[in-house]
Amino acid sequence: MQFKDLFQKKRKYATVPSVDRTAPNRVMDGAIDVPEERPKREIPEGLMNKCPKCGTIQYNKELDKNLKVCTACEYHYKLNAVERIQMTMDEGRFVEFDSEMASQDPLEFPAYIAKYNKAVEATGMQDAVITGEGTIGGYPVVVAVMSFDFMGGSLGSVVGEKVTNAIEYATRTNRPVIIFSTSGGARMQESILSLMQMAKTSAAIAKLNEQGGLYISVITDPTFGGVSASFAMLGDYIIAEPGAAFGFTGGRVIEQTMRIKLPPGFQTAEFNLKHGQVDLVSHRKEMRSTLTRLLSMHVVKEETVNGE
């Protein structure tokens, strides 16, 4: 035997397409007619979602049924203003205020209008807040609901004007105010005009308070900057959703400025509850019942007012 005979030649392999084993093969001219490979099934976009906290993958329909709270770790997804209103207000009992009010560009800030128009098109909103009146558990309320997906929920002239109008209407009609806050801070494209909204909204709340009106502030993730430094922290009751981050500025900026290491969980709802910055941390599933319970201690139901 020669040395070369110790090594066998490599076998040649052919790629065989996948076959549906449940379907009978047909014999044609002595050869097997192999069915063609089935096309791959494509999963439609928007069908499933991956939790940003724990990584659990779940169907969007199931997530919606659970009020956009992760079924595995209880992470509270961000809600837009429309979703929040639908989850909180009594069905068919909401009338919007100032729906056509839109931002201008008084400072002619570069690319502001283009960015603003893009946000309008993407969200279907005119700005980062929806205000109006309706009922929760049968109790009449005036609400302002902010939306982070509109330019980061930034506080501009329109947001401040709409919130102020809602508070003043509540003061005139003797109704409680509930504001759901979420914001990255002041809208830099409006500069000082944006910062003025902090004083304007705070003054409106002060007048409401002078007349004995009720103001419930609900803080959602995230709430920072000018909003947290004004109306978000002026409530008679301050409620936060679990895990909601809020403060004047982000933890990274504080660490770099103060040159200190912040404690774990700094600026979360639970941390702020422990240190007396909020009155209650309420799960989203319990938020509506929590608000109804608070309103029942201060407000007469609409049916009673109307004598029905």
Side-chain angles (χ1 to χ4, degrees):
M1 180 182 297
Q2 296 183 9
F3 185 79
K4 64 180 180 179
D5 293 331
L6 295 174
F7 298 91
Q8 297 180 357
K9 293 182 178 180
K10 292 184 179 180
R11 296 179 181 178
K12 294 182 179 180
Y13 293 91
T15 302
V16 179
S18 60
V19 178
D20 185 358
R21 300 299 179 184
T22 62
N25 293 329
R26 293 172 295 169
V27 178
M28 299 177 61
D29 300 329
I32 297 179
D33 179 20
V34 180
E36 295 182 359
E37 185 176 2
R38 290 177 295 176
K40 295 181 180 179
R41 294 180 59 187
E42 295 185 0
I43 300 176
E45 292 186 8
L47 182 64
M48 307 188 79
N49 200 300
K50 183 178 180 180
C51 176
K53 183 177 180 181
C54 70
T56 299
I57 298 176
Q58 49 204 320
Y59 286 104
N60 280 338
K61 287 185 178 180
E62 294 300 318
L63 190 62
D64 290 339
K65 288 180 181 178
N66 206 43
L67 304 184
K68 288 199 171 182
V69 176
C70 178
T71 56
C73 69
E74 299 290 296
Y75 171 77
H76 284 49
Y77 283 73
K78 292 180 178 65
L79 298 177
N80 60 42
V82 174
E83 291 171 328
R84 182 80 63 181
I85 291 170
Q86 291 174 340
M87 289 181 186
T88 309
M89 308 299 294
D90 293 343
E91 187 176 356
R93 305 299 296 271
F94 179 78
V95 179
E96 186 177 356
F97 300 156
D98 300 322
S99 60
E100 300 301 320
M101 191 179 292
S103 290
Q104 304 298 315
D105 187 14
L107 304 180
E108 298 182 354
F109 195 93
Y112 178 32
I113 291 300
K115 187 174 183 179
Y116 172 82
N117 290 336
K118 184 178 180 180
V120 171
E121 183 179 355
T123 64
M125 298 172 58
Q126 289 298 313
D127 218 296
V129 69
I130 292 178
T131 58
E133 64 176 328
T135 61
I136 298 177
Y139 296 97
V141 293
V142 173
V143 299
V145 186
M146 299 192 71
S147 198
F148 193 80
D149 59 355
F150 194 105
M151 298 185 70
S154 51
L155 176 61
S157 300
V158 167
V159 173
E161 183 69 11
K162 292 179 72 171
V163 170
T164 300
N165 286 350
I167 296 169
E168 291 177 344
Y169 175 82
T171 304
R172 294 193 304 270
T173 58
N174 194 30
R175 294 191 174 187
V177 176
I178 301 176
I179 300 179
F180 292 85
S181 297
T182 178
S183 177
R187 187 168 298 178
M188 66 175 186
Q189 293 90 343
E190 296 186 17
S191 188
I192 190 64
L193 300 177
S194 173
L195 298 179
M196 287 172 58
Q197 309 312 310
M198 297 170 61
K200 184 166 68 177
T201 54
S202 298
I205 291 172
K207 291 182 179 179
L208 175 73
N209 185 62
E210 289 175 3
Q211 293 196 19
L214 173 67
Y215 167 38
I216 301 174
S217 175
V218 182
I219 295 173
T220 68
D221 183 55
T223 300
F224 286 100
V227 171
S228 68
S230 56
F231 56 83
M233 297 303 294
L234 295 177
D236 298 303
Y237 296 101
I238 301 178
I239 306 172
E241 283 193 331
F246 68 94
F248 182 69
T249 189
R252 185 187 306 173
V253 175
I254 295 174
E255 286 188 334
Q256 292 175 348
T257 303
M258 304 296 293
R259 298 183 180 180
I260 58 174
K261 183 67 177 177
L262 298 175
F266 180 72
Q267 291 185 320
T268 62
E270 293 75 13
F271 182 92
N272 282 290
L273 175 65
K274 182 178 179 181
H275 292 82
Q277 296 299 306
V278 299
D279 300 304
L280 177 68
V281 174
S282 179
H283 194 285
R284 186 171 293 165
K285 291 182 179 179
E286 301 172 354
M287 183 64 71
R288 192 177 138 82
S289 61
T290 297
L291 293 174
T292 301
R293 186 167 65 252
L294 291 175
L295 291 170
S296 69
M297 296 188 293
H298 299 272
V299 186
V300 178
K301 277 196 174 184
E302 196 169 65
E303 305 91 81
T304 306
V305 173
N306 297 332
E308 299 178 1

